[in-house]
Amino acid sequence: MNLSRRQLLAASTVAGASLAVPGIAATSAFGAPNLVRRDRPTLPSGIASADVTPSSAVVWSKTDRPGRLVVQLTSSGRFDRAIHLRGPKTSADDDFTARLPLRGLRRGQRYDYRLGFEDANGRIGQTLDGSFTTPGRNRPVSFVFTGDTAGQGYGINPELGGMIAYKAMHETHPDFFLHSGDNIYADGPLAAELKVADGTVWKNIVTEEVSKVAETLAEYRGRYKYNLMDANVRSLYADVPLVAQWDDHETLNNWYPGEILTDDRYTEKRVNVLAARAKKAFLEYLPMEHVSGRDRIYRKVSYGPLLDVFCLDMRTYRGANPVPSTVGPVAMLGAEQAAWLVREVAASRATWKVIASDMPLGLLVPDGDLIEAVANGLPGAPGGREHEIAWVLSQFKKRKVRNAIWLTADVHYAAAHHYDPSRAAFTDFDPFWEIVAGPINAGAFGPNALDPTFGPEAVFVKAADFPSQSPASGNQFFGHTSIDPRTGVFSVSLRNLFGDVLWNKDITPAHD
């Protein structure tokens, strides 16, 4: 690789990892991708990269026994010229998963990587190859976004070819994949067969770990392992860097901190205990760049001069779900995260600021008689969780933030909303777009009612034909975005299970 010594030495690794001396030829034990040998570490869940920036990335894999992650990294397309990195040792404490941050990468460069694990005797087992490309100054940027995987009893259906919407996303050749939450459905057991309301039968591959609601750490981990059994998912993750956030189903439906369950399916009733196990599994299986050594899910992923992505966490810091008539403020982001969002978005010099929100702003999402999302469904001034969003939007206006666009999932249908103060009860904000995608392999629903507080207009809606419609219907949705480096135009489309474009919009950037 044509990396400088400074860049090589800057290639950061996790505790215990070291950087091999550049120029050492690849050994025969770590040559071409190899056949699986039962006496050496295997890679049962594939490989992945994540949170790629102009100068950094994270690579990840899982093995089946104790071992040390080893990585070959090349920008020449030739692994005989690769640098060798030795990552962390892994054990049952982290379910034999491991990630390795990479630093000192070159802007606008394709990198190929080969991952494997080394056993106690120094023997490297199965290896797999992946790739990612760092953003460049004059390169277009494209990405896909969606949410909601393996929900409502719809898992890996071999008759359909598995989770084929992942294949449709892969075929757009995006620079990265933004998963906007509900990566798993820990609270949704999967059965071998599911009768659908239209009279069809959906068939699932099943494992013991997905047969009941997840409560133990092993059961939460089992949900991620289940999704990674799908060849479409593994193929996408090997080629396309992941940017992951979470919502409720990574733990359980509509949860909030401090909640005590009354659901008879759970023997552990303390949601805080379940959420801690769920978060550990989430961080083990969905690689991301940790912020200042903290296991913080909200973060900024810088994708060069055209794009910054601000990943929110609307779950960890929220207050209890309120009744719709609640007048006073109820936390959704929490004060620290809300202040971080305003500060970082205002400081961003990227043309576009994508706010990756795990829940929509203007759609009513009830939790029985309570409110699960932001909107309370009532006209007039902000109430409950709307207060916090109103403050964020007004601060964006005050600080002259330009070109902020909100991307979200959660409601299991596709929509494009335009928010404008001329239609709103609360008017202290600049107009903006919110694009809703998902599910990607779950039951389809919708549409939900729009709340008038922030003046949304539903410019496009594509929803299910009936509640919990199966993925086989085609009503699975993802968004695709490309940004032109010459004009800065943000071209966004909503697509179905097969990648067909249902709606598209070219949004021209505003300038001061």
Side-chain angles (χ1 to χ4, degrees), residues 172-218:
T172 70
H173 305 291
D175 290 310
F176 65 91
F177 165 41
L178 170 63
H179 199 302
S180 296
D182 295 341
N183 293 266
I184 60 168
Y185 273 69
D187 55 340
L190 298 175
E193 292 189 355
L194 174 67
K195 293 183 179 179
V196 186
D198 61 4
T200 60
V201 175
W202 177 272
K203 295 184 178 180
N204 285 316
I205 295 172
V206 293
T207 66
E208 182 179 353
E209 291 163 316
V210 302
S211 63
K212 63 177 289 292
V213 296
E215 298 181 82
T216 67
L217 179 56

Side-chain angles (χ1 to χ4, degrees), residues 128-385:
L128 291 173
D129 292 356
S131 65
F132 60 85
T133 299
T134 56
R137 293 188 181 278
N138 298 309
R139 289 186 67 252
V141 175
S142 70
F143 65 96
V144 289
F145 60 95
T146 191
D148 315 301
T149 301
Q152 290 70 52
Y154 298 109
I156 301 169
N157 185 342
E159 293 184 347
L160 193 65
M163 299 185 186
I164 61 172
Y166 276 84
K167 181 175 184 290
M169 291 193 295
H170 196 176
E171 288 174 346
T172 70
H173 305 291
D175 290 310
F176 65 91
F177 165 41
L178 170 63
H179 199 302
S180 296
D182 295 341
N183 293 266
I184 60 168
Y185 273 69
D187 55 340
L190 298 175
E193 292 189 355
L194 174 67
K195 293 183 179 179
V196 186
D198 61 4
T200 60
V201 175
W202 177 272
K203 295 184 178 180
N204 285 316
I205 295 172
V206 293
T207 66
E208 182 179 353
E209 291 163 316
V210 302
S211 63
K212 63 177 289 292
V213 296
E215 298 181 82
T216 67
L217 179 56
E219 288 165 348
Y220 282 111
R221 288 166 168 170
R223 292 287 173 162
Y224 294 99
K225 287 187 282 190
Y226 176 83
N227 288 358
L228 290 168
M229 291 170 61
D230 184 83
N232 304 294
V233 174
R234 290 199 309 273
S235 180
L236 176 73
Y237 282 10
D239 277 352
V240 179
L242 177 66
V243 176
Q245 54 189 141
W246 77 346
D247 190 31
D248 56 339
H249 291 287
E250 285 85 359
T251 305
L252 57 91
N253 188 45
N254 296 350
W255 74 275
Y256 54 83
E259 183 181 6
I260 302 298
L261 296 178
T262 58
D263 190 331
D264 291 338
R265 297 178 302 169
Y266 289 86
T267 56
E268 174 55 71
K269 305 294 186 181
R270 296 167 297 174
V271 167
N272 284 3
V273 173
L274 296 172
R277 295 168 184 167
K279 185 176 182 181
K280 179 172 173 57
F282 175 89
L283 294 172
E284 287 171 345
Y285 277 87
L286 295 175
M288 64 183 62
E289 180 64 87
H290 285 184
V291 179
S292 302
R294 299 168 58 187
D295 288 340
R296 196 179 79 184
I297 293 170
Y298 75 83
R299 65 204 187 281
K300 180 178 80 170
V301 180
S302 297
Y303 211 82
L306 290 176
L307 177 66
D308 280 340
V309 181
F310 300 87
C311 298
L312 302 185
D313 177 359
M314 290 179 152
R315 193 55 54 180
T316 304
Y317 312 100
R318 64 167 53 202
N321 288 350
V323 296
S325 59
T326 300
V327 175
V330 177
M332 185 66 160
L333 301 173
E336 180 181 325
Q337 184 180 189
W340 165 86
L341 177 62
V342 168
R343 181 177 65 251
E344 292 297 324
V345 171
S348 172
R349 294 296 173 260
T351 303
W352 289 96
K353 296 87 173 169
V354 161
I355 317 300
S357 176
D358 43 293
M359 302 200 77
L361 302 185
L363 288 174
L364 180 61
V365 183
D367 176 22
D369 295 330
L370 306 176
I371 295 300
E372 160 67 358
V374 174
N376 60 15
L378 302 177
R385 293 192 175 117

